[in-house]
Amino acid sequence: MKKTFLYILIAGIGILSVSCEKLLETKPREAVNLDDAAKSKDAFTSTLVSIYNNMRVSSYYGRDFILQSELLGDNADIAATNSNRLVGESRNTRGSHFVLWATCYQNIFRCNYIFKFIDGVPGISFAESEQIKGESYFLRALNHFDLVRAYARPPLYMHDFELGVPIVLEANIDANDPAFPGFPERAKVADVYTQIVKDLDSAANKLSRAEGVTGVVGPFRASSLAAIALKSRVLLYQGDWAGAEAAATAALGKLPFNTPSVRINFVNDSATYVSKWGNLHPEIIFGTRFETYEALGTNSIQYLAYVSPVHNGYGDVIARTELLNAFYPQDIRRNPLIIAGNKGGQAVNWTQKWPGARAYRGGDDIMYIRVSELYLNRAEARARINGKDPNALADLNVIHTRAMLPALTNLEDNELIQAILRERRIELAFEGHRLFDLLRTGQQIIKGVTTIDNNDFKLVAPIPLAELDVNKKLVQNPLY
């Protein structure tokens, strides 16, 4: 192809001048040339897989996005002796935050490119087309969701600032093209969430029809189960309690869910629950698996969050005292899923959710969505609809008793809701939920003697300056 330079709309926001050949290279699990993508099934499949690959880089789900949420919140800290990674996040320093903007909008652009060109491509069956489109709808939804969580306030606690992120649904790549839609403004938070739910519904519908034919059913690719499960979380953030309950119930109703890698189901057996972290945990609904040549090594989440006796590690990210104090006595999620260690003479506690379970450094699976969250989503939604609903307490106890703890009893209304939020903190610790759960429920962040108000500007990431320089329609977040 000729080496002309196109202005590629990375977010519909900022334009990045790159050659087509460098934007998407034709490599398995990585990328594909844009011109080729409109010609062959293999190229479309490679384009789709390139999105998954782009989501597991160390700045996104491969490490930082998960750990930053725990550090910006009140679950995790950085050890005194450290590799100088994510220190600012642990201190809530101005500007130390998520860096997702370009990555997520690259992924969204690729999804939109698939939608624009896939119809009519020779060699793609209807089921294969529906599969690729369904996965693309899911990935576009997830990337918009992560953007609006990182760069905007949650729907129920916007603190008088309702701007979300730009919704990008087009794949016009040439700024000189008369059809180029121009740079978009930041949409309102409510509108972004509406689009996310719409995309998840499209994903679930298409994937539910295609999966039985194509045999592509996750957990390391999007599935109808993953789309419905993520929808339950999105609706919970919105405060659509009935919708969140219905989505969680629908997702749980699809279990067990068979995939080529693992039979997805709730793990009631405590020993299995503890032992399978990092390597095909049966609860994984959607996540990442690293082959030997793909593992992030010293840039992996395992290396930063633990000093493995086999694979070594920095072990910088440690549990805060506030998290340790939240556990119930004899809780198996406290021991053995958090273990004591020593780093530079400091007594520390490390998570065992990435324990170095596979044979190579940084090879542990990372779960983005798993089954236990569905019970917690549904429990919270039911409790907020009716604080006396016995089914809310029953859902809570599914998770609580699995940890070898006696069932909770006689909880209603706010006491029940607080117990559910406490359980969520414990169960999902170090999985990237904490900051967002604090923000969406209006809670303060308490770190020792420091209290950070829910409306503190530093809890929301700044819009990148490079984007503001190019797109004059963008509005920066307050106080940046």
Side-chain angles (χ1 to χ4, degrees), residues 137-394:
Y137 276 117
F138 174 86
L139 292 168
R140 189 170 75 177
L142 179 56
N143 279 267
H144 273 122
F145 183 49
D146 290 342
L147 284 164
V148 78
R149 290 195 293 167
Y151 293 97
R153 292 285 177 178
L156 300 184
Y157 289 91
M158 289 191 287
H159 301 295
D160 299 320
F161 190 78
E162 63 181 2
L163 293 183
V165 295
I167 301 170
V168 179
L169 307 178
E170 300 293 335
N172 292 26
I173 62 176
D174 189 347
N176 297 314
D177 190 324
F180 179 68
F183 299 130
E185 300 175 341
R186 295 178 66 176
K188 292 182 179 180
V189 167
D191 294 333
V192 180
Y193 273 80
T194 296
Q195 183 61 48
I196 292 166
V197 172
K198 182 178 179 180
D199 277 354
L200 289 174
D201 285 340
S202 295
N205 290 336
K206 290 182 179 297
L207 291 172
S208 64
R209 292 194 298 265
E211 287 165 344
V213 179
T214 64
V216 180
V217 289
F220 307 115
R221 298 269 293 268
S223 66
S224 57
L225 172 62
I228 299 168
L230 181 58
K231 182 181 176 180
S232 77
R233 187 194 303 177
V234 172
L235 295 177
L236 195 72
Y237 277 50
Q238 286 184 281
D240 181 351
W241 313 126
E245 178 189 17
T249 299
L252 289 169
K254 293 178 76 70
L255 302 177
F257 192 81
N258 292 316
T259 79
S261 302
V262 64
R263 187 171 188 258
I264 302 170
N265 206 356
F266 179 71
V267 180
N268 195 48
D269 173 63
S270 301
T272 302
Y273 169 79
V274 168
S275 66
K276 295 300 291 183
W277 285 93
N279 190 11
L280 292 178
H281 200 293
E283 284 210 1
I284 184 171
I285 292 175
F286 180 62
T288 284
R289 187 168 181 84
F290 297 93
E291 301 304 330
T292 308
Y293 61 92
E294 301 167 323
L296 297 177
T298 58
N299 290 319
S300 67
I301 195 168
Q302 173 256 306
Y303 209 79
L304 195 59
Y306 179 46
V307 180
S308 164
V310 177
H311 303 305
N312 206 346
Y314 297 121
D316 291 353
V317 179
I318 59 177
R320 293 191 64 89
T321 301
E322 291 85 356
L323 171 61
L324 299 177
N325 290 341
F327 284 91
Y328 294 89
Q330 311 304 315
D331 193 327
I332 64 168
R333 296 166 297 185
R334 171 65 177 85
N335 182 17
L337 279 182
I338 294 180
I339 63 169
N342 186 285
K343 183 169 170 59
Q346 177 187 8
V348 299
N349 288 276
W350 289 307
T351 179
Q352 289 292 280
K353 291 187 173 179
W354 306 283
R358 302 186 72 195
Y360 42 91
R361 180 180 293 168
D364 287 5
D365 299 341
I366 301 174
M367 292 193 279
Y368 307 168
I369 309 171
R370 65 183 178 93
V371 176
S372 289
E373 183 195 346
L374 294 174
Y375 282 101
L376 294 167
N377 290 350
R378 191 169 70 176
E380 183 179 342
R382 285 173 165 173
R384 292 188 186 277
I385 293 170
N386 176 9
K388 295 178 174 57
D389 186 349
N391 292 317
L393 182 57

Side-chain angles (χ1 to χ4, degrees), residues 36-57:
D36 290 343
K39 299 176 182 177
S40 74
K41 180 175 79 172
D42 288 345
F44 270 104
T45 301
S46 295
T47 300
L48 177 65
V49 174
S50 77
I51 303 169
Y52 290 106
N53 188 69
N54 210 28
M55 291 184 67
R56 56 187 185 169
V57 295

Side-chain angles (χ1 to χ4, degrees), residues 110 303 435:
R110 293 175 187 184
Y303 209 79
L435 174 66

